[in-house]
Amino acid sequence: MTDTTDHEAKLDLVEIAAYRYREGRLTRRGFISAMAALGVLPALGSKALAGANELVVVNWGGRPTEVLQEVLGDTYTAATGVKVIVDGSGPSGGKIRAMVESGAVVWDLCDSGMGTAIILEQQGITQPIDYNIVDRNKVIEGTAYSNGVGNYVYSYVLATNSKMLGGNVPKTWADVWNTKDFPGMRTFRKSVRGMLESAVMAQGVPTKDVYEVLGTQDGINGAIDMFRKLRENIIVWGSGSDSQNLFLQEEVAMGNIWHTRAFLLKDQIEGGTFDISFDGGVIAPGVWVVPKNNPAGTEEVMKFIAHGQDPALQVKWLELIGSGPINPAAAALVPPELAAWNPSSPENLATQILYNDEWYAKNQQAAEELYIDALIN
Amino acid sequence: MPRFSDKFRYWALVLPALAIMIVFYIWPLLGIWVISLNEPVVGLGNYAKMADSNAVKTSFVITFRVAFVTTIGCLILGYIVAYAISNFAGRVKPLMIALVLLPFWVSVLIRSFSWIVLLGRSGIVNDALRGAGIIDSPLRLMHNEFGVVLAMIHVMLPFAVLPMMANMRGISSSYVDAARGLGASEWTAFRKVYFPQTMPGVMSGALLVFVLSLGFYVTPALLGGGRVLMISEYITYQIQEFLNWGLGSALSVTLLVATALVIAVAARFVNLRSALLERG
């Protein structure tokens, strides 16, 4: 089984956050005061120091590391007195494995992906999540695994610029494939991730049956053929910033991009003509994994994960860098103007499917080959 | 001062560069050959997979086609420039040569981005054409082979101009004068007397541009929109997206062999020694 975790998506969050930071939208002080206003910092130092006095959480670097420090780390320290250090050195499956096998584990909690979580569990590298402490009802259904639990989400969504479409905006993937009624260039990722699903839906398959259809070679070939038909109208995006540029420079009128990039575009494209639809979106979670023999001990780390499930904290995460709350209950706290941009609101969840890592582990490599062939041959 | 033999001096001068080439170029290159044969399993699996793949075949076809068209474009434009500089430039000759060399000082990346600014849907060219009322909706000038070839010709042009100019500099004007004196028209004198003498320059320019174009990466990646997937981009894709070093290496080796074949075939028609080593 190959590691299917989409590290690019994670690194993209880093870039986005850096952008927000440069824009001046994120300040540490503003953030702390917002926390206080939300009542997230009620019990400053009221709890006794107990057990471990340090917790090392690892993610993928850049601004999200700072955001994670501020949103989850500092608030946890405030509530429990346990110091939290967020380290952005990138906890790839290989690194976690090397650490556990060498017996020198210094990480307590790692921001990983479903694919990696599954592999690490099979290899016996990670600990089971203690669902007596962590609430499995506080994550989106399907993201509570035995050795990993969801921490935030990002989605592949249908993005459109109505200005370029003369107000005639495609609503479904079938519309995106209808070049007669919806002329203009489209953008898709230079990878099948999150893309084949949309091609299957464009054929009229209900969202719940998408992976069933993709389970057969005929289904895969059918989806690939959809791209062959559409290719004269396709410009591909390689990185998240590519997708953003294609919309900004009006090279494309619609496309299948990460909602986190769309989150930036909504403020950048004038006149509010940029919009997204989560209808037919593919939602993918980030996943917490705990290495075996973590230094802070199992209980402490589980408490931290549970702390991070707090809906108010999750909303803050969304506001700062667009990462979607993993806790569906957070939706009620999302400011109204951001509700439409929240991938895990009940309305948006209902119309999306969950990214299926098992399918990718089995089929991705062969499918990528066919996908490239369809685009260029 | 001690006296060294000529042989010793020769090696003393050559050795530092040779050592660097061996350690940092030849050795890793051999490593690529080895990887292509033993990852993920020992054998010719990567090459078999490559031969099976339609995407790889198409990518090779695209690579050679783009390189070929770029070469032709560079030769035609470059010949005109070289001819003008060599025969008519006069006092402005140093300026014109400087203008040919100027693009070398700007990185390929920046030049490619400039083309994006020019050729984009709302780029300068489209805006100007629309403003002038010549077109209603923007033309698709990039994210296709046209854009890639256009930008590549721009990047490669100096590599065509310089060898041809060097060659033309060595051609005496007395041959054309003699032909004219014997009654040949200007065109005939050019076609039958001047042009054949420039063939070595043309060939060395062609070879240089073609071989460099085969391995081109930046421009097609930026201007191709994913539809003009040249082999070097495909190699990057295999290695970065899939950590598939085996197949990536096999593709590299194949590109290297294909390039060597092109040179070998060219050697049958061109005197490589005079084309590449003895300029002007």
Side-chain angles (χ1 to χ4, degrees), chain A residues 190 231-232 251 369 375, chain B residues 53 121 140 227 233 237:
Chain A
K190 194 168 122 189
R231 66 180 180 187
E232 290 306 322
E251 290 293 331
E369 185 77 27
L375 289 177
Chain B
S53 162
R121 202 174 169 283
R140 265 185 73 189
R227 299 281 321 283
E233 199 186 347
Y237 191 66

Side-chain angles (χ1 to χ4, degrees), chain A residues 8 164 185 190-191 193 231-232 234-236 246 249-251 365 368-369 372-373 375-377, chain B residues 53-55 58-59 62 116 120-122 140 142-143 225-227 229 233-234 237-238 241-242 244:
Chain A
E8 276 175 59
M164 292 185 64
M185 295 301 283
K190 194 168 122 189
S191 158
R193 292 176 191 276
R231 66 180 180 187
E232 290 306 322
I234 293 177
I235 300 170
V236 300
L246 288 171
Q249 294 166 356
E250 303 195 335
E251 290 293 331
Q365 203 146 344
E368 295 287 2
E369 185 77 27
I372 293 178
D373 187 51
L375 289 177
I376 66 173
N377 194 359
Chain B
S53 162
N54 278 326
T58 311
S59 185
I62 290 174
I116 292 180
R121 202 174 169 283
S122 49
R140 265 185 73 189
M142 63 174 201
H143 293 130
R227 299 281 321 283
L229 192 75
E233 199 186 347
Y234 200 92
Y237 191 66
Q238 286 296 331
E241 179 80 6
F242 297 126
N244 197 344

Side-chain angles (χ1 to χ4, degrees), chain B residues 246-266:
Chain B
L247 187 55
S249 302
L251 288 165
S252 313
V253 170
T254 309
L255 180 61
L256 190 68
V257 170
T259 309
L261 277 177
V262 168
I263 294 177
V265 170

